[in-house]
Amino acid sequence: MRKVYAQISGLGMYVPARVLTNADLERMVDTSDAWITQRTGIKERRLVEKETLTDLATIASKQALENAKVRSEDLDLIIVSTTTPDMQFPSTSCLVQKEIGAKNAACFDLAAACTGFIYALGVANQFILSGTYKNILVIAGEVLSSITDWKDRSTCVLFGDGAGAVVIQPTTEKRGIISVYLGADGNFADFLKVPAGGSRLPASKETVEKRQHFLKMKGNETFKIAVRAMGEAAEKALSLAGVSAEEVDCLIPHQANIRIIHSVAKRLGISEDKVFVNIDRYGNMSSASVAVALYEAVEQGRIREGTIAALIAFGSGFTWGGCVIRW
Ligand code: ACO
């Protein structure tokens, strides 16, 4: 039997129309365009107005399906990576299934914070390699504005909303997902979290007054670990793929901070012209960041047939991961 690979055969993305610039933030908290630009590389981000995560995910998914020429009723599985689902349950993947009419698909959500898209690619890859499924829709989407504390200048300048989607199918050509490496360390759970609203600390008047439903991050400590973990994730994924850093044509890192991106690229010896950056336009969209960046890299021709792309991410948990794709 010929070896099977999982290939990405269609992509889609959607970001809301509303733009929040650094100048807008200057009017909301004690910050400046200069600080945000220099410390993070972010100039503006997109925020939902009335849209839900399901709305963003549905638009991105329809585009990915059209792009892949796959009918929604032919989908076997929908995975939604998110930390900001529409509600605790049902899963956002079920809500998207209804919207796109994918009545034959199994559905579940996956929580690995900013690394979620790479975790979801890893899961989809296994379902394809095992021969279980033939048409999988992987969505990474976030409405981070719903858990952002707009009074906390150390975090509110960082995040944006958006969604990316890919269709994954088997191929017998040696292309598609070549390797996936996933890692995690729950000892760092307190570094980046939303303390309340779960079963440990259910919503109450007190939790709302203490603003515990918003994201809390130890930014500086997280920064240092992110550089190390993303570098290691890239090295492990490349080694599993039998690909050297010099052979990478396009590095797609999680877009959390331009300084993290530059440090990781330097550590890997990958020149900056090969690194895809869109943090200036969208900020950190958690798991949607890598999915949207992948879409834009393909759209701009930075990734094309034969290109070797390395996707790397890091997020709450902590979680981290890398995925090497031959396009
Ligand atoms: N405007 C102006 N000043 C600010 C702002 C702001 N928006 N935010 C913080 N400051 C101040 C601080 O109060 C501090 O002032 P002080 O020295 O007087 O105390 C100073 O700037 C430096 O603060 P730091 O927190 O040390 O700033 P740092 O250079 O570390 O940048 C940042 C902060 C951007 C958050 C950075 O640490 C970072 O990017 N961390 C990693 C984020 C990440 O990778 N997260 C994981 C993925 S995200 C996810 O999973 C959802």
Side-chain angles (χ1 to χ4, degrees):
M1 210 172 94
R2 287 177 72 185
K3 186 167 166 43
V4 166
Y5 291 88
Q7 67 169 346
I8 293 177
S9 50
L11 301 97
M13 69 162 272
Y14 181 72
V15 290
R18 181 179 166 210
V19 176
L20 187 80
T21 65
N22 290 351
D24 296 327
L25 280 161
E26 283 176 355
R27 290 186 284 274
M28 295 162 63
V29 285
D30 179 14
T31 192
S32 65
D33 172 46
W35 191 95
I36 302 169
T37 307
Q38 195 205 357
R39 304 309 292 165
T40 71
I42 302 166
K43 298 297 284 182
E44 58 186 43
R45 65 290 288 147
R46 302 299 185 94
L47 302 185
V48 295
E49 285 175 281
K50 291 214 171 88
E51 304 114 305
T52 63
L53 175 61
T54 298
D55 297 331
L56 309 188
T58 298
I59 298 171
S61 298
K62 284 183 177 169
Q63 188 185 10
L65 288 168
E66 205 178 299
N67 196 227
K69 297 188 174 53
V70 169
R71 297 181 315 163
S72 57
E73 55 268 40
D74 292 332
L75 283 174
D76 304 306
L77 174 67
I78 301 173
I79 308 173
V80 172
S81 155
T82 190
T83 41
T84 49
D86 277 12
M87 45 193 137
Q88 289 231 3
F89 63 85
S91 67
T92 302
S93 51
C94 283
L95 303 179
V96 174
Q97 182 213 36
K98 171 176 171 275
E99 292 303 317
I100 64 175
K103 56 181 188 219
N104 299 310
C107 298
F108 67 90
D109 287 3
L110 180 153
C114 302
T115 320
F117 182 58
I118 291 175
Y119 266 72
L121 289 181
V123 174
N125 187 41
Q126 291 304 323
F127 274 121
I128 296 286
L129 298 190
S130 67
T132 311
Y133 293 134
K134 291 206 162 18
N135 298 310
I136 302 177
L137 178 65
V138 169
I139 305 160
E142 305 284 356
V143 179
L144 288 175
S145 57
S146 66
I147 53 166
T148 298
D149 185 345
W150 295 104
K151 290 190 170 161
D152 175 10
R153 70 171 183 175
S154 71
T155 53
C156 75
V157 301
L158 303 173
F159 302 108
D161 303 333
V166 293
V167 174
I168 303 192
Q169 295 180 303
T171 175
T172 48
E173 291 172 43
K174 194 174 180 213
R175 58 191 287 181
I177 297 173
I178 306 296
S179 73
V180 179
Y181 167 76
L182 304 174
D185 189 345
N187 286 306
F188 295 104
D190 277 338
F191 280 50
L192 179 48
K193 65 179 180 184
V194 177
S199 56
R200 182 183 294 200
L201 199 53
S204 68
K205 190 163 173 278
E206 194 190 349
T207 61
V208 172
E209 278 166 5
K210 288 184 174 165
R211 308 181 78 74
Q212 289 173 312
H213 302 275
F214 295 126
L215 178 154
K216 317 278 178 205
M217 177 166 71
K218 294 181 182 169
N220 206 275
E221 295 86 337
T222 302
F223 185 103
K224 290 173 202 145
I225 301 167
V227 172
R228 198 186 67 223
M230 280 218 286
E232 278 173 20
E235 283 158 6
K236 293 236 168 76
L238 287 170
S239 150
L240 286 171
V243 168
S244 69
E246 298 83 72
E247 289 175 281
V248 173
D249 301 301
C250 189
L251 180 71
I252 307 217
H254 174 44
Q255 312 279 314
N257 187 313
I258 194 68
R259 292 180 294 134
I260 296 179
I261 294 173
H262 287 159
S263 303
V264 172
K266 193 170 162 206
R267 172 186 162 143
L268 296 169
I270 294 178
S271 59
E272 276 173 26
D273 58 307
K274 291 183 174 178
V275 181
F276 192 85
V277 173
N278 62 11
I279 189 172
D280 50 326
R281 289 178 288 127
Y282 302 131
N284 178 349
M285 297 185 289
S286 191
S287 72
S289 279
V290 171
V292 168
L294 178 65
Y295 173 94
E296 291 195 333
V298 173
E299 195 191 32
Q300 294 171 19
R302 301 266 306 263
I303 294 179
R304 52 190 179 278
E305 188 142 4
T307 299
I308 293 196
L311 282 45
I312 51 173
F314 175 85
S316 168
F318 286 143
T319 56
W320 55 86
C323 174
V324 176
I325 300 176
R326 181 176 287 114
W327 211 258

